[in-house]
Amino acid sequence: MRRALAIARYVLRAAARGLRASAASAAIAVIAMALALLLAGAFGIAIGNMAGVVERVGDRLTLSAYLTPEVDEAARTALAARAARIEGVQDVEAVSPEMALARFPERTGVSAAPVELVGENPLPASLEVRLRAGDRSPEQAERVRLALEGLPGVAEVSAGEDWVPGYTRALDFVRGAGLAIGLVLAVATLVIVASTIRLAYAARRDELRILALMGASRTTMRLPFLLEGLAQGACAGVLALLLLRLLFVLARPAVEASLAFLADSAAVRFFSPAEAVALVAGGALLGLLGAALSLAADRRA
Amino acid sequence: MAFGAATPTPAREPLVALRHVSKSYRAGTYALRDVSFEVGKGELVFLTGASGAGKTTLLRMLFAGERPSTGEVRVLGHDVARLRRRTIPALRRRVGVVFQDFELLPRMNVEENVRLALDVRGVPGREARARVFSALKQVGLHQWRHQDPRSLSGGEQQRVAIARALVGEPSLLLADEPTGNLDPALTIEIMDLIASVAARGTAVIVATHDLALVGRHGRRTLRLDAGRLAGDAALERVSV
Ligand SMILES: Nc1ncnc2c1ncn2[C@@H]1O[C@H](COP(=O)(O)OP(=O)(O)O)[C@@H](O)[C@H]1O
Ligand SMILES: [Mg+2]
C-alpha cells in the first residue's frame, strides 16, 4: 500500500514534469481542444433551448378531428371517450358546431358575422385532442392523427400549430447535425491529444528506456502520459465552459429578444451544473482516451 | 503489486549461471556461441574481449534486455529465456546497470536522477531521500546533489550513475565499459569504486576491453573471442 502510494506520487510528479517539459505543445493542445469542446457545447446549448421551446409551446399543439354531419351529440361524446384512450393523448374535448362557431373569431381572427347572416352554421363538430406533455413530437402527433382517422365518423384530422411540426423537424435536423458535429469534434479532440501525447512520448524516449532498465513497470511508465492527456482534456473542458459562459452572457439579450414572439417566457438557459460538469468530464475522458490511443499505437513501449 | 517475486533462489544456486548459451542476431552469425559460466554472491568478474566480441550482448542478457537463442541463462533465480514480459521489471529492480555514456537524464538534478531508481521501486519519500543521500555520499557527490548532471565532469557523472545503480541495493551490478569515456586517472578511481561494491557482497560484472585495467585488479576474468568464451581465469596482477 505504501509502495503503491509512493508510485502514485511518482506518477503525478512525472506527469507534472512532463507537462512542464512540453508546456508549449500542451498549451496549444488545450486551446485547440477547448475550441472543439466550445463548438460542441454551443450546439448542446442551442439544442437544449430549441427543445425547450417545443415543450413550452406544446400545450398549444392540438389535433382537430372533424366529424361527419351524421354524428350526433351522444355519438360525439362516445367518440371523445374513445379518442382519449389513444396512446399519447392527454385529453379530448368534444366541440359542437355551435361551440365551433362561437370560437371562430377568437381562433381565426375573422369575424363570424357573415355566417350569422346566412343563418346556417357551416362549421362541423370536432374533437379537440391535446397531446400528452413531455411527448410532443411530430411522430407522436402523426401516430395520434392516424388513430383518430381510424375512428368511425371522423372525416378529417388537422394539426393545430402549423409551424410546430416544421420546427420540430428542424430541431431533429439540428440535433442530428449536432450529434454528427459533436462526433467529428470528439474525434478531432482525440487526434489532438493523441498527437500531443505522441510528441511528449517521443521527447521522453530516453527517459523511458532508462526507467525500463531500472525496473519500472509498464504501468508506472505509461500512467504519467495518461494523466497528462486527462489533465489536458479537463483543462480544455474548463476553458471551453468559461468561454461558453462568456459568449452566453454576451449573446443572451439579443437571442431572447428575437425569441420573444414564441412564448411569453423566452428565457434562454445555460448548462445546468450537471451538464457543465459533464462537459469538463467529457473533455477529461477524451484526453484520457486520446492518450491511451497514442500509447496503444506504440507497441514496443 | 508483487514485489520482486521470483522463483526462490535455492540456497547454493549461483546468482548468475549460463549454460551453453548462444545468441544469433542474424542466421549464420553468432554474437555469443556456447558460453557457460557461473558467478556467485559478492564476486567481481571482468569480461574482456575485442570490440564486437559479444560483451554487451552477454550483459544485456543478464538484465533481460535480450534472450538467448539457445542455452539457459539464469539470473537471480529467473530463467531469462522464459521470463514473461511482466516479470522483467522485477528482475531489473535487483540488477544495477552502468553504461559507458552514463545515461543520466537532463532536466533532473543529480539527486532526482538517483531518486528515479527508488521511485520506480515505490520507496516512500522520506526513506528515499535518506537512501539517495547515503548513495551519493558513498560516491562522494552528496554536496553536488542539487547540481544539473551536465555541469559535472565525466567521472562525476559516472559516479552519479553508479550511485543510481546502487541505491536500489541490487544483488548484481553490471557495468558495460564504465570507464570508456574517462581519462586514465578517473578510470582508476571509478574502477576502484566499482570493485568496492563487490567487497560489500554485491556480485559485479564489468565489461571492458582495457586489459591493463583488468590486470591491475587481478580478479577473475572471462575472455570472449568472437562470441566464444576463450578464457576464465584470474589475470596476473600487473601494475599500471
Ligand atoms: N542488436 C543487434 N543486432 C544485430 N547484431 C548485433 C546487435 N547487437 C550486437 N550485434 C552484433 O553482435 C556482435 C557482438 O556485439 P557486442 O555484444 O556489442 O560486442 P562488444 O560489446 O563486445 O563490442 C557484433 O558482431 C555485433 O555486430
Ligand atoms: Mg559493447
Side-chain angles (χ1 to χ4, degrees):
Chain A
M1 188 57 203
R2 250 157 58 91
R3 182 170 175 267
L5 271 179
I7 291 207
R9 251 200 309 275
Y10 161 72
V11 164
L12 282 172
R13 253 187 294 130
R17 197 167 51 219
L19 283 173
R20 243 180 293 128
S22 53
S25 79
I28 291 170
V30 166
I31 290 170
M33 284 191 285
L35 290 178
L37 291 173
L38 173 92
L39 272 175
F43 257 94
I45 291 176
I47 290 167
N49 280 295
M50 286 175 78
V53 167
V54 172
E55 259 315 307
R56 255 179 275 125
V57 301
D59 47 338
R60 289 203 240 149
L61 183 53
T62 56
L63 297 170
S64 302
Y66 298 105
L67 306 178
T68 53
E70 304 89 71
V71 180
D72 62 15
E73 182 154 4
R76 199 156 66 222
T77 313
L79 266 179
R82 276 181 75 181
R85 284 196 297 273
I86 295 172
E87 177 64 29
V89 168
Q90 180 162 295
D91 51 40
V92 178
E93 185 190 10
V95 179
S96 65
E98 298 72 38
M99 288 162 75
L101 186 60
R103 288 175 182 180
F104 190 75
E106 176 208 330
R107 285 288 167 94
T108 60
V110 174
S111 164
V115 175
E116 277 158 2
L117 273 178
V118 171
E120 195 183 320
N121 183 359
L123 296 178
S126 66
L127 302 178
E128 296 293 313
V129 178
R130 276 206 302 167
L131 296 181
R132 193 182 295 143
D135 196 15
R136 287 167 182 149
S137 64
E139 294 77 38
Q140 187 67 1
E142 182 60 16
R143 263 196 302 280
V144 173
R145 192 179 69 77
L146 286 174
L148 287 172
E149 277 179 356
L151 294 179
V154 171
E156 195 193 336
V157 182
S158 81
E161 298 269 348
D162 286 348
W163 63 273
V164 170
Y167 181 84
T168 347
R169 262 196 304 281
L171 175 59
D172 278 348
F173 175 77
V174 173
R175 230 184 223 138
L179 200 66
I181 290 173
L183 268 176
V184 170
L185 291 173
V187 170
T189 308
L190 275 180
V191 169
I192 294 167
V193 183
S195 52
T196 311
I197 295 299
R198 180 122 217 94
L199 281 178
Y201 194 87
R204 267 142 73 192
R205 229 166 234 300
D206 276 345
E207 181 178 337
L208 292 171
R209 189 171 44 79
I210 291 164
L211 282 171
L213 284 174
M214 291 191 296
S217 70
R218 217 170 123 87
T219 315
T220 306
M221 289 193 284
R222 293 181 153 225
L223 271 179
F225 293 98
L226 295 178
L227 273 185
E228 282 166 47
L230 184 100
Q232 288 177 14
C235 285
V238 170
L239 187 59
L241 196 64
L242 292 175
L243 288 173
L244 273 173
R245 183 70 217 185
L246 181 70
L247 291 176
F248 179 80
V249 169
L250 290 178
R252 179 186 204 157
V255 173
E256 282 185 357
S258 68
L259 287 181
F261 77 95
L262 277 181
D264 3 286
S265 58
V268 182
R269 68 174 198 98
F270 192 63
F271 284 136
S272 68
E275 289 164 336
V277 169
L279 183 75
V280 175
L285 189 69
L286 284 173
L288 182 67
L289 269 178
L293 272 179
S294 146
L295 292 184
D298 191 295
R299 319 204 103 249
R300 289 179 311 143
Chain B
M1 280 188 248
F3 189 15
T7 336
T9 314
R12 227 162 273 112
E13 183 178 329
L15 288 186
V16 170
L18 277 76
R19 291 186 194 103
H20 304 294
V21 171
S22 291
K23 175 71 187 182
S24 175
Y25 290 107
R26 270 168 291 122
T29 65
Y30 288 88
L32 288 176
R33 190 146 201 188
D34 196 25
V35 173
S36 302
F37 67 89
E38 293 182 353
V39 175
K41 189 169 179 300
E43 244 192 299
L44 170 61
V45 179
F46 288 100
L47 186 62
T48 67
S51 178
K55 305 182 292 294
T56 296
T57 300
L58 204 161
L59 290 188
R60 285 181 60 73
M61 279 186 193
L62 299 184
F63 60 78
E66 213 68 74
R67 287 172 201 266
S69 303
T70 59
E72 188 188 23
V73 176
R74 293 193 69 82
V75 181
L76 304 170
H78 293 277
D79 180 343
V80 171
R82 300 219 190 105
L83 211 51
R84 282 175 306 130
R85 245 166 79 135
R86 294 176 51 90
T87 324
I88 290 178
L91 167 63
R92 290 189 179 165
R93 284 185 217 124
R94 300 176 61 202
V95 178
V97 281
V98 175
F99 300 96
Q100 179 170 349
D101 46 8
F102 324 134
E103 305 273 26
L104 298 177
L105 288 172
R107 291 200 303 268
M108 282 189 212
N109 65 25
V110 165
E111 185 174 46
E112 288 164 337
N113 263 281
V114 177
R115 168 81 184 257
L116 215 49
L118 295 181
D119 285 337
V120 305
R121 289 170 167 82
V123 177
R126 184 188 292 267
E127 181 191 341
R129 271 190 298 281
R131 280 172 68 176
V132 167
F133 187 84
S134 90
L136 282 172
K137 191 158 187 179
Q138 206 178 316
V139 301
L141 284 178
H142 51 291
Q143 275 120 337
W144 307 115
R145 64 187 180 282
H146 298 305
Q147 211 81 54
D148 182 325
R150 286 167 302 183
S151 71
L152 303 178
S153 73
E156 287 164 341
Q157 290 190 44
Q158 192 60 294
R159 271 147 64 193
V160 175
I162 291 171
R164 182 180 65 186
L166 294 181
V167 75
E169 292 168 1
S171 310
L172 175 64
L173 177 68
L174 306 174
D176 193 357
E177 310 270 8
T179 60
N181 281 350
L182 304 179
D183 59 49
L186 284 176
T187 295
I188 290 177
E189 175 195 310
I190 292 294
M191 267 311 172
D192 287 349
L193 178 61
I194 289 174
S196 75
V197 172
R200 286 194 304 272
T202 299
V204 180
I205 304 180
V206 184
T208 176
H209 60 265
D210 187 344
L211 286 176
L213 188 68
V214 174
R216 202 181 147 271
H217 285 270
R219 294 298 194 99
R220 180 179 171 198
T221 304
L222 301 168
R223 191 162 56 82
L224 282 175
D225 183 4
R228 285 184 185 275
L229 194 57
D232 180 352
L235 272 200
E236 292 271 307
R237 192 182 275 270
V238 293
S239 49
V240 212

